[in-house]
């Protein structure tokens, strides 16, 4: 059986049938082990476009790390698809045109070596908006 984790009923079925995949942390976090789990394809996700965006985002990550001559791009590069899926799917409510909105969701990177991914992703998003005709005032 494959699971669509965005479907609440299927998610709850998974929780009931394979409780060992779920681990609650004392400090309030929750962990879900997806290793080896058959996942249903997500409707509306164009993998070809996602792959192209991931390549561009990785180029921004590699350029930033190389320009700073500091660190390595491994951690950031490994989070590229995760970042894109979160911010482009609508699951993480964030309005790129109103980034200071107090009602926005927040994504916390717990490791500094993932910072190039954040900046690479934001560069990709704002460049796409700019090419789409959106004008931004100079900082």
């Amino acid at each position: 059986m494959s699971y669509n984790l965005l479907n609440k009923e299927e998610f709850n079925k998974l929780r009931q049938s394979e409780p060992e995949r779920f681990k609650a942390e004392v400090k309030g976090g929750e962990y879900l082990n997806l290793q080896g789990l058959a996942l249903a394809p997500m409707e509306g996700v164009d993998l070809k476009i996602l792959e192209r965006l991931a390549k561009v985002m990785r180029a921004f990550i590699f350029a930033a790390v190389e320009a700073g001559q500091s660190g390595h791009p491994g951690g950031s590069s490994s989070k590229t698809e995760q970042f894109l899926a979160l911010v482009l799917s609508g699951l993480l409510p964030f309005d790129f045109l109103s980034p200071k909105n107090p009602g926005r969701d927040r994504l916390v990177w717990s490791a500094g070596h993932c910072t190039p991914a954040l900046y690479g992703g934001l560069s990709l998003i704002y460049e796409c908006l700019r090419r789409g005709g959106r004008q931004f005032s100079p900082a």
Side-chain angles (χ1 to χ4, degrees):
M1 173 172 195
S2 66
Y3 296 93
N4 177 348
L5 298 181
L6 301 180
N7 179 301
K8 198 169 198 159
E9 286 180 24
E10 289 189 33
F11 185 82
N12 287 332
K13 275 188 211 175
L14 174 63
R15 186 183 291 273
Q16 289 175 345
S17 66
E18 299 187 47
E20 67 280 359
R21 288 188 178 276
F22 293 82
K23 179 174 83 175
E25 296 290 333
V26 176
K27 295 180 182 177
E30 192 171 20
Y31 172 79
L32 171 59
N33 179 0
L34 299 175
Q35 189 173 8
L37 180 65
L39 298 174
M42 296 175 70
E43 291 181 31
V45 175
D46 188 329
L47 289 178
K48 295 249 188 253
I49 291 174
L50 183 62
E51 288 169 358
R52 286 182 61 207
L53 291 172
K55 283 181 183 179
V56 173
M57 185 172 157
R58 279 195 177 89
F60 285 141
I61 291 168
F62 297 152
V65 171
E66 179 64 26
Q69 296 184 358
S70 174
H72 58 87
S76 291
S77 180
S78 70
K79 309 257 183 318
T80 301
E81 284 82 5
Q82 178 186 24
F83 176 88
L84 289 171
L86 279 172
V87 298
L88 299 178
S89 68
L91 291 175
L92 182 76
F94 185 82
D95 182 354
F96 300 104
L97 301 177
S98 179
K100 294 184 179 180
N101 176 349
R104 71 191 184 278
D105 272 354
R106 289 154 177 90
L107 177 64
V108 177
W109 292 110
S110 62
H113 62 274
C114 292
T115 302
L118 176 63
Y119 288 117
L122 291 175
S123 297
L124 173 66
I125 290 162
Y126 286 105
E127 180 61 16
C128 289
L129 289 170
R130 188 190 67 76
R131 288 182 182 206
R134 178 61 73 168
Q135 297 295 316
F136 297 99
S137 61

